Amino acid sequence: MSQVVAVRALCEFTARAGDLDLRFTPAPTALEGIAGHQLVASRRGKDYETEISLSGRHEDLLVRGRADGFDPALQRLEEIKTYRGALDGVRANHRALHWAQAKVYGHLLCRERGLAQLCIALVYFNVGTQQETVLEDRFDAAELQAFFGQQCERYLAWARSEAEHRRARDAALAQLAFPFERFRAGQRELAVAVYRSTRTEEGGNCLMAQAPTGIGKTLGTIFPLLKACPGQGLDKVFFLTAKGTGHGLALQALAAVNASLARQGAACIRVLDLRARDKSCEHPDKACHGESCPLAQGFYDRLPAARRQALQQPGQADAPAVREVALAHGICPYYLMQELVRWSDVVVGDYNYYYDSSAMLHALAQAGQWRVGVLVDEAHNLPERARRMYTAQLSQFALAAARKNASGAVRKALDRLQRSWNAINREQQAAQLAYQAHEEVPAGLLAAVQRAVGAMAEENADRPMLPGDAVLDFYLEALQFMALAEQLGPHALFDVSLAPAGAGARSTPASTLCIRNVVPAPHLAPRHAAAHATVLFSGTLSPPDFYRDMLGLPEGTRWIDVPAPFQAEQLQVRIAGHISTRWRDRERSLQPIVDLVARQYARQPGNYLCFFSSFDYLQRTAERMRASHPGLPIWLQTSAMDDAGRAEFLERFAQEGCGIGFAVLGGAFSEGVDLPGRRLIGAFVATLGLPQVNPVNERMMQAMARRFGPGKGHDYTYLYPGLRKVVQAAGRVIRTEEDKGVVFLIDDRFHRAQVRALLPAWWRVE
């Protein structure tokens, strides 16, 4: 079977050498790169050829690409690379790649035109100074042919192995049986819907699935998407999670799939556990280059052997396994993990790896033209997470730190930005507004940011800044701010928040500038379109129109609501309508809440969770509980609780234990927590979970109303996000078909028909 590879992809696999070097250097934009190529070409003679399509075969491998330029008078093939700053900023591993590409193009040109010799040149063009540096060498056609053959042989040996893995994988998945004896209630319905979502003739490639806890959503989505891989030609499956709990469940489900394949004597699928850098870095005190970190030194020289060993291990490449292989070969585990993405069948990672503006998985999928299936776990979290991905802030205190460290042209540009920024602050101070939103970024301010970014880029290109430099930190923040400012539309706000009095002795107050994403849909829609199939699933995806609108899902996106496997008799849902948890009623609510909790505990001792809207409300209620009912055992979530503290909190919920855990709604204990059986027999939710009414949320509500209609502004900003947190928290009580428990919804507003309509259909509310 013939295989096709681009020249760049071939050389990236076979010819990278030397150190891993991730020192930040400003790169030219795409437009600057195009302009640089055009300017170099314009300086050549009239017979100069550009963008020459070339291709050639080696055995069953077809290599193709476009050479930048050829000067027939000089018999010189040119590979043009644009850069900023000093040429030393073009790292050795990049130069090795550039020479390899040029030599492959040289061979293809010699073969096509019957050339016996060829001069090959790397032309490095500085987009700032518009100066060229030319590095050239002359090669015989035979030398170039030998080099080409060597690269192709390296690639083919691997490619044939990968093709064999793909054939074995698809054959195994075609025969894959469900890993367990039977489907759970509702799980088959979910699996069928997911499988059909991959077949575009049956209703589009996006599916929203609301499926309750207890049916096995993780395996119910992974299994059918894997089954669809052979028939739909899917190259990869990306399983995206918001929290560590979902990440672990996905790995467990995939381990069950591989165990089932092993029992059948079939090939295992390659599963990659993609972890964040801060959890994978062996030397957090060192920078990512060979002069600082020993695991970056010679990274590309040792990568092939490490990659080979990692992929020879059947099945799951979890973080400990990847780390063991990486350290055995003396390379960085985190960047080995990134390299393994290309060779994995399923990648489990955080949302940001696919949906962020610089998302690695999306970039690799586009570059490799992969057909991917995307599974979005606990998708109710995606709107808020995506908002944060596409929000950028600039602090005037960060600007002050950068100015203190800057000099020369950078200091002057930052001073101009400071003056422009202060003018905005003075106007807002005169209007006596601590917070103000604008329709657009003021032109003078944006121009000042752009000039400062340009000055910092030039400085960093000439003298690269080290991590921790205040100027570099501000530069990176300003880059993101500027990028989002240039895309500002009705889906976002620009706002200015003045620092509180006393936050620094200044005649003009400091402020924070923010490009605040309100609706992430415009940013997410292209990611949905890039995937062959996207399945978003959660126990709370209601109402579906809200999530369609917020997430930019295409028309024709299907929505299913899988019936719960639970009976109404398993859960008593009671509304404590005699209590108001509104801000103005908080003090009056404390005693009724603690009395309600104490009565229920006396009636039925066991483990309970009590959820509040804030740590302050939680603390005040706990103090009242200790004063009024000192014998009742309680333990509290704290705002600074670390992993060990969270584990200790959950350990208190023993199977035969008794007591009440106080937690914050929307926090670590209100979703993704499994406490089945007697570990949790009830919950109290002392809030509707509505976001705080403040100037920011009020402006977001106005933006929602303008985009989706006046009737939806309040619901999209306050009601739907709030009730989703309530249902998630209450869902901690019933986790299996054997569980029984009680939930108290504490607030008179739970009696409202609009609120009741957002509660799960299987609940029988008393």
Side-chain angles (χ1 to χ4, degrees):
M1 179 180 176
S2 181
Q3 298 190 58
V4 180
V5 65
V7 170
R8 181 180 178 87
L10 170 71
C11 295
E12 281 185 339
F13 181 77
T14 62
R16 286 186 298 179
D19 297 350
L20 179 71
D21 195 330
L22 297 174
R23 281 174 285 195
F24 178 80
T25 53
T29 65
L31 290 176
E32 287 174 331
I34 293 169
H37 278 67
Q38 292 173 342
L39 184 55
V40 170
S42 71
R43 293 172 175 176
R44 304 299 188 254
K46 62 181 179 62
D47 295 327
Y48 188 76
E49 302 175 42
T50 61
E51 293 291 310
I52 309 150
S53 293
L54 296 169
S55 63
R57 287 190 175 275
H58 179 87
E59 298 182 10
D60 54 353
L61 181 67
L62 174 64
V63 181
R64 62 189 185 190
R66 290 178 181 272
D68 290 332
F70 177 60
D71 189 328
L74 299 176
Q75 291 286 285
R76 186 169 80 175
L77 179 82
E78 296 185 336
E79 179 73 8
I80 303 168
K81 301 296 181 184
T82 56
Y83 71 101
R84 282 186 176 276
L87 186 57
D88 290 345
V90 181
R91 310 300 183 198
N93 57 2
H94 291 153
R95 292 200 195 191
L97 176 61
H98 299 162
W99 272 117
Q101 289 176 245
K103 289 166 73 173
V104 168
Y105 282 127
H107 162 71
L108 297 177
L109 186 71
C110 285
R111 185 155 72 177
E112 182 177 285
R113 302 194 181 185
L115 304 177
Q117 276 192 335
L118 186 65
C119 179
I120 292 179
L122 294 183
V123 180
Y124 287 104
F125 179 80
N126 188 318
V127 298
T129 65
Q130 299 195 341
Q131 292 180 331
E132 297 177 33
T133 301
V134 179
L135 309 176
E136 65 178 31
D137 204 348
R138 183 166 291 278
F139 296 92
D140 291 333
E143 292 179 81
L144 295 174
Q145 182 176 7
F147 179 82
F148 176 76
Q150 185 182 47
Q151 307 313 303
C152 290
E153 284 298 326
R154 287 181 189 169
Y155 185 86
L156 268 174
W158 186 268
R160 286 167 179 155
S161 171
E162 287 303 294
E164 180 55 38
H165 167 75
R166 176 65 176 263
R167 284 191 290 272
R169 183 206 78 169
D170 285 353
L173 293 179
Q175 301 300 317
L176 176 65
F178 190 68
F180 297 106
E181 186 176 337
R182 59 182 179 84
F183 286 94
R184 297 183 190 178
Q187 196 176 35
R188 180 185 289 277
E189 181 181 344
L190 173 62
V192 169
V194 171
Y195 185 81
R196 287 178 174 170
S197 72
T198 67
R199 302 168 64 183
T200 54
E201 70 271 18
E202 292 195 25
N205 66 342
C206 284
L207 170 70
M208 296 168 60
Q210 179 167 272
T213 295
I215 71 164
K217 294 190 292 289
T218 303
L219 188 57
T221 53
I222 287 174
F223 172 71
L225 199 54
L226 289 175
K227 287 290 290 181
C229 284
Q232 297 299 317
L234 296 185
D235 299 299
K236 315 272 181 197
V237 171
F238 298 152
F239 190 101
L240 308 176
T241 70
K243 298 179 183 291
T245 310
H247 194 108
L249 290 173
L251 294 176
Q252 289 176 23
L254 289 160
V257 168
N258 269 333
S260 177
L261 290 171
R263 287 193 298 270
Q264 298 173 32
C268 291
I269 56 172
R270 292 174 179 165
V271 177
L272 178 64
D273 173 12
L274 195 58
R275 293 300 177 97
R277 179 175 172 176
D278 61 353
K279 294 182 179 179
S280 308
C281 182
E282 294 290 317
H283 299 290
D285 59 323
K286 295 179 171 60
C288 292
H289 59 82
E291 295 170 22
S292 176
C293 180
L295 299 182
Q297 197 172 66
F299 177 89
Y300 290 110
D301 300 328
R302 294 191 288 274
L303 173 62
R307 180 174 54 206
R308 190 178 307 112
Q309 182 181 342
L311 295 178
Q312 282 172 349
Q313 300 178 357
Q316 199 157 291
D318 59 15
V322 173
R323 178 178 181 271
E324 183 180 345
V325 171
L327 296 183
H329 291 269
I331 65 173
C332 173
Y334 178 67
Y335 288 101
L336 174 59
M337 211 177 283
Q338 292 201 1
E339 287 291 328
L340 293 177
V341 169
R342 294 176 170 86
W343 322 108
S344 300
D345 302 310
V346 182
V347 179
V348 180
D350 189 87
Y351 291 165
N352 66 287
Y353 284 111
Y354 189 76
Y355 287 115
D356 205 344
S357 58
S358 56
M360 176 187 62
L361 292 181
H362 176 259
L364 288 174
Q366 293 298 101
Q369 297 183 320
W370 298 336
R371 283 168 72 89
V372 300
V374 178
L375 297 173
V376 185
D377 180 36
E378 300 295 353
H380 62 268
N381 288 301
L382 185 55
E384 190 56 40
R385 282 288 306 276
R387 273 181 178 166
R388 294 202 293 270
M389 292 175 198
Y390 293 97
T391 290
Q393 290 188 334
L394 280 183
S395 163
Q396 209 161 6
F397 295 112
L399 171 61
R403 289 173 65 220
K404 185 177 179 180
N405 279 25
S407 60
V410 172
R411 176 60 187 258
K412 290 179 181 178
L414 294 177
D415 286 346
R416 285 194 295 269
L417 173 57
Q418 172 81 342
R419 290 192 292 272
S420 180
W421 198 328
N422 280 340
I424 300 289
N425 293 346
R426 284 192 293 271
E427 289 180 14
Q428 189 164 321
Q429 186 181 34
Q432 298 185 332
L433 295 171
Y435 169 87
Q436 187 172 15
H438 302 259
E439 295 299 320
E440 56 186 17
V441 183
L445 177 65
L446 183 56
V449 172
Q450 290 168 333
R451 284 192 295 268
V453 165
M456 289 184 286
E458 292 299 329
E459 175 73 14
N460 195 50
D462 292 332
R463 287 180 291 279
M465 304 171 198
L466 297 175
D469 188 310
V471 178
L472 178 60
D473 291 344
F474 185 75
Y475 170 61
L476 296 175
E477 292 170 0
L479 268 180
Q480 185 187 14
F481 180 90
M482 192 172 71
L484 291 176
E486 291 170 352
Q487 303 172 50
L488 189 64
H491 62 279
L493 301 173
F494 168 66
D495 57 41
V496 182
S497 301
L498 296 181
R506 304 168 57 94
S507 56
T508 302
S511 69
T512 298
L513 310 177
C514 186
I515 304 291
R516 190 181 307 278
N517 183 259
V518 178
V519 180
H523 300 290
L524 301 184
R527 305 302 167 93
H528 304 319
H532 175 73
T534 300
V535 178
L536 305 101
F537 59 98
S538 167
T540 48
L541 277 183
S542 239
D545 285 350
F546 168 70
Y547 289 97
R548 284 194 188 100
D549 289 343
M550 293 299 290
L551 299 178
L553 294 166
E555 288 187 21
T557 295
R558 295 174 60 232
W559 186 79
I560 63 164
D561 188 3
V562 179
F566 313 125
Q567 303 300 315
E569 292 75 20
Q570 290 180 251
L571 182 68
Q572 300 175 54
V573 183
R574 300 174 183 173
I575 296 176
H578 63 290
I579 302 173
S580 167
T581 63
R582 295 172 181 84
W583 174 258
R584 65 177 182 269
D585 300 323
R586 289 285 168 83
E587 190 62 35
R588 290 195 299 272
S589 73
L590 299 180
Q591 194 63 47
I593 289 174
V594 300
D595 289 344
L596 173 68
V597 173
R599 283 196 304 272
Q600 174 60 28
Y601 184 83
R603 184 184 306 118
Q604 188 179 6
N607 291 321
Y608 294 85
L609 269 168
C610 196
F611 293 100
F612 300 88
S613 57
S614 68
F615 282 105
D616 177 68
Y617 198 10
L618 179 157
Q619 189 65 44
R620 289 163 63 192
T621 309
E623 291 169 0
R624 184 66 62 91
M625 179 70 78
R626 289 178 176 131
S628 300
H629 306 279
L632 203 156
I634 64 173
W635 54 94
L636 278 56
Q637 178 185 4
T638 62
S639 58
M641 190 174 273
D642 57 13
D643 288 346
R646 287 191 285 270
E648 184 180 351
F649 183 93
L650 291 174
E651 284 171 5
R652 298 286 296 271
F653 293 88
Q655 195 66 243
E656 300 304 323
C658 287
I660 302 169
F662 281 35
V664 170
L665 192 72
F669 305 112
S670 61
E671 61 177 282
V673 170
D674 260 325
L675 299 169
R678 295 285 304 174
R679 292 189 67 192
L680 185 69
I681 65 168
F684 304 85
V685 184
T687 172
L688 261 72
L690 306 185
Q692 184 182 18
V693 176
N694 58 35
V696 174
N697 285 333
E698 288 296 285
R699 280 307 299 252
M700 291 178 69
M701 182 179 72
Q702 294 170 22
M704 294 278 201
R706 285 196 300 270
R707 187 176 180 92
F708 301 118
K712 293 184 176 180
H714 177 271
D715 292 349
Y716 276 31
T717 307
Y718 293 106
L719 184 61
Y720 298 157
L723 265 294
R724 185 264 298 167
K725 288 187 285 187
V726 169
V727 173
Q728 280 287 328
R732 300 312 93 204
V733 178
I734 304 298
R735 308 300 292 171
T736 73
E737 294 177 52
E738 290 75 42
D739 289 349
K740 292 186 178 181
V742 61
V743 167
F744 285 87
L745 304 176
I746 305 173
D747 196 279
D748 59 288
R749 288 168 291 179
F750 281 111
H751 280 306
R752 294 178 180 175
Q754 185 185 19
V755 172
R756 295 275 291 269
L758 295 171
L759 303 178
W762 69 274
W763 286 8
R764 184 180 300 162
V765 182
E766 299 175 10

